[in-house]
Amino acid sequence: MAMYHQGNRDLQDAFGTRALADRMEERIRRPAFTEEDAAFVASLSFFFLATADADGHPDCSFKGGDPGLARVVAPNLLVFPDYDGNGMFKSLGNIRANPHVGLLFIALEDKPRRLRVNGTARVALDDPLMAGFEGAQALVRVTPVDIFPNCPRNIPRMRVMEAAPHVPRCGVPRVEPAWKTYEMFADVVPPRKA
């Protein structure tokens, strides 16, 4: 699968960047995760997930947890859990309809850094790897096609002040978000599965 399509090429030609784009693909793009990629992904407590439905209508979501939320378990496999949420299943539903995904991993603290992962995904409701993710109700398996670092120059330096209290943690009682008790939702919020 080519990294660039005609729309990319037309703009590369318009801005004179085709040779640069080709060099980037040749030198920094890879189809499998490196050990450095795996360590970087495991160090983060969040990432952004882009999906699209069967008609190509996009959706982008924030996925958060503790460091290690997403894990590279093999050079050709990244996994992450799905936790109890708002029940809309926009991202996971899109993956079931259209497996093409884009993930963006960003470090905001001491050394800003970005890693982009484009590939295909599959949702599993009974995956054996779910046991390694406290509170997971599903697991997403991502097979990479294009992995490449992205320039960090415009990433602001920020600090995490505290971990989110809603992240499932072993031995810690679950904290429900307040919105689940609002009158407009309370009668339709199902019991937590995980």
Side-chain angles (χ1 to χ4, degrees):
M1 183 169 154
M3 187 165 166
Y4 304 123
H5 55 69
Q6 193 57 49
N8 302 132
R9 290 305 196 183
D10 290 346
L11 288 167
Q12 290 166 8
D13 292 342
F15 286 89
T17 64
R18 184 184 281 247
L20 176 59
D22 288 346
R23 183 69 53 85
M24 293 236 180
E25 180 180 16
E26 173 189 314
R27 297 285 174 94
I28 65 172
R29 179 246 170 227
R30 51 196 170 272
F33 294 104
T34 64
E35 288 183 18
E36 184 180 353
D37 295 336
F40 177 61
V41 167
S43 74
L44 300 175
S45 60
F46 71 91
F47 66 95
F48 298 94
L49 173 66
T51 61
D53 66 17
D55 295 321
H57 299 114
D59 190 63
C60 187
S61 64
F62 172 88
K63 299 297 180 188
D66 284 330
L69 166 72
R71 299 175 193 163
V72 173
V73 296
N76 64 347
L77 182 62
L78 177 145
V79 298
F80 64 89
D82 179 67
Y83 297 130
D84 176 70
N86 61 20
M88 292 177 14
F89 291 99
K90 294 289 289 171
S91 298
L92 273 57
N94 280 350
I95 290 169
R96 287 218 163 157
N98 175 351
H100 300 281
V101 296
L103 291 78
L104 177 60
F105 296 93
I106 303 177
L108 299 169
E109 295 195 30
D110 298 325
K111 185 178 178 189
R113 184 174 171 197
R114 284 191 286 198
L115 185 70
R116 293 171 65 164
V117 178
N118 297 324
T120 58
R122 181 174 61 84
V123 177
L125 302 180
D126 59 356
D127 194 294
L129 293 177
M130 282 174 55
F133 294 93
E134 181 71 25
Q137 64 181 10
L139 191 83
V140 178
R141 291 174 160 258
V142 177
T143 301
V145 173
D146 294 312
I147 302 167
F148 53 101
N150 216 186
C151 177
R153 72 176 173 206
N154 294 323
I155 299 174
R157 289 186 63 193
M158 303 171 85
R159 294 249 181 252
V160 173
M161 301 305 289
E162 62 184 82
H166 303 96
V167 174
R169 295 182 176 92
C170 188
V172 177
R174 300 285 196 272
V175 177
E176 293 291 348
W179 68 264
K180 287 189 175 187
T181 65
Y182 296 169
E183 186 177 332
M184 70 176 106
F185 300 122
D187 65 326
V188 294
V189 173
R192 182 187 292 275
K193 290 188 187 255

